[in-house]
Amino acid sequence: MQTEIVIAGFGGQGVLFAGQVLAYAAMDSGKHVTWFPSYGPEMRGGTANCTVIVADEDIGSLTVRNPQAVICLNLPSLDKYEPLVVKGGVLVLNRSLINRSANRTDLRVVEAPANELAEELGDKRLVNAVMLGALVEATGVLTMAAIQKALKDHLPAKHHDLLPANFTALEKGAEAARRTLAAQSA
Amino acid sequence: MAKELLKGNNAIAEAAIRAGVEAYFGYPITPQTELLEHMAARMPALGRTFVQAESEVAAINMVYGAACTGKRVMTTSSSPGVSLMMEGLSYIAGTEVPMVLVNVMRGGPGLGNIAPSQADYHQMVHGGGHGDYHPIVLAPASVQEAIDITVLAFDLAEKYRTIAVVLADGSIGQMMEPAELPPMAELKKHLPHWAVTGEPGRARRLLTSIYLNPDDEEVTNMRLLNRWMSIRENEVRWKEYFLEDAEYVVVGFGTAGRVALSAVRAARAEGIKVGLFRPITLSPFPEAQLKEIAAVSEGMLVVEMNAGQMLDDVKLATEGLLPVEFYGRLGGVVPFPDEILGEIKRLAAGPIPNQNGHARQRWLERLALIKERD
């Protein structure tokens, strides 16, 4: 059993850190995990993405052509990854910055206005936590408790005042996932 | 110790520190810069030497000098930077002092790019610097293996008074994986008998790579070669996957070996009896092991992130006992598992079309079609 997840957006949206939280949670849950970032010039202002693979056995390739789930934090990410997600896979869209829905009808699509939700919570840096909450709810790749524990154990101590807001952001994302998936299957 | 989520570059640096490296000299270059940064942060705090040199040429010559004192020393770089070090590496080989070099390879030739590549295989395995010498070259495929290999590299370098190279690529350097670091080793208490220490009142120790008399140089070359024969005899390392009943065998090192593992599993799921042979020592190359496997297999597929550099060594080792095909991606492109799965199916489907010509030529024609399609 192996789940491949791509998190894509532009620099500054917390793409790489969201992937690391997922990787820490997977490691602490006793899973095999790899985290592989896009690195280099694209880190400076352009697109940023990382691939996280969570598995029950040792992992081969660090990247896959057709991931099972993709978080798209902006429109270029959706344009790039929508055709690539496996049939029946999960697409999580930040509708604050993406002005269209998915074109494909063979995917489970989760939509969340992540920027607005983050700003309602008082910190625009929470966008990645909202999206991560939505992904975890939609895929069940790990438990929400494992994600919360990973944040608590691996977020630097000086940022621990942000933990409650991050937990709320995760829950807001999960709520959005439940709502949009229910609407999709209705 | 518990597993930590570690980035390859940082893990290699910390492993070297725990193995007791006492002096590091380097110059920043992507995709290995975190390695140098980790050293900059840790070494001075431990009372050890860290120098960011003015160039790779300076760094390798600082390594040369420091290695002559008998302490554990290392440098790290990426492809173009390693090219600059070649003269110094040859001098170090000729002087018979141990050192560890880490090359986190990137796309080339020339300035190339910063993407993962394996195109320095020939340069590292078959020389690089001038003269008749062989470094030990170890290729990790995971963060854990990078840690273990780094520690091993210091031991082997000292045991054989040779250069030991950790040959990784950009993705090994940049990825994160759970891994366990070794405990902090005690620093070496006893220096080797050849180390120059500035001690007054004892017989002079001379470390040099100059032997103006060819007869003396020949003796030195024979000594190097005898050590190399002993390395070939004792230090070959590799890993096997699903080979017990395999009819077809994929051969790949480092990251290409990992990607091949995914493809081999997918092919097994479709009922193809295929296994994977992953060399860990590229030098000494697992020749005898590959020949043994070749004698009982139907066909081999070599997978690399270069134009078939290890392919030549596999063909030599297998002595024409079976067809050897090749698949590679170039210039910093990392293959996806489905590409290699397609190649395994091609091999398993029966007689390879157009057996005339070289496996490299056949692959180049297939790659041209793939580039056209994508």
Side-chain angles (χ1 to χ4, degrees), chain B residues 60-61 63 75 82-83 85-95 99 101 124 127-130 133 163 165:
Chain B
I60 193 66
N61 283 290
V63 167
T75 186
V82 174
S83 288
M85 295 181 177
M86 282 303 154
E87 182 198 41
L89 285 165
S90 173
Y91 278 56
I92 288 167
T95 307
M99 69 155 291
L101 162 69
M124 292 290 102
H130 60 280
Y133 74 96
I163 297 165
V165 179

Side-chain angles (χ1 to χ4, degrees), chain A residues 63-93:
Chain A
T63 55
V64 288
R65 193 188 301 276
N66 304 114
Q68 291 172 21
V70 180
I71 293 179
C72 299
L73 281 150
N74 60 7
L75 182 60
S77 302
L78 177 61
D79 291 342
K80 178 176 176 185
Y81 285 103
E82 183 177 1
L84 297 178
V85 182
V86 293
K87 195 170 182 285
V90 170
L91 203 51
V92 184
L93 308 184

